[in-house]
Amino acid sequence: MLNNVLTREKLSAIKLDSDQFHFHAGEYDAAADWQRLPLQQGDKQIGELRWRARNPAPADELMRSLAAMLGRAIWI
């Protein structure tokens, strides 16, 4: 799924982290500037979605929706 988002939104990289796993797609560079959103279940942060965008950047609403969906998926 991360590869699909990477391709469709023309991202440089996308990364999903939680206590149990780490997934990424694209050109990972830990030193680069990343945009990030927490993955939450209720008030508890259960992970983080990070991405590096090319121009134009993906819509904020899309990335918030993706973070919410992934947060629900990893909670189960």
Side-chain angles (χ1 to χ4, degrees), residues 12-41:
S12 298
I14 188 167
K15 185 169 180 16
L16 176 63
D17 287 318
S18 79
D19 290 341
Q20 292 109 11
F21 55 81
H22 308 280
F23 296 110
H24 76 273
E27 304 161 10
Y28 181 74
D29 180 359
D33 289 330
W34 291 79
Q35 293 177 287
R36 53 186 75 218
L37 285 171
L39 303 179
Q40 293 196 227
Q41 185 62 35

Side-chain angles (χ1 to χ4, degrees), residues 44-66:
K44 182 179 179 184
Q45 183 170 340
I46 56 174
E48 186 175 61
L49 177 65
R50 294 190 276 169
W51 67 96
R52 289 189 305 124
R54 298 177 182 152
N55 289 328
D60 290 339
E61 296 84 13
L62 171 71
M63 298 311 283
R64 281 194 303 268
S65 178
L66 178 61

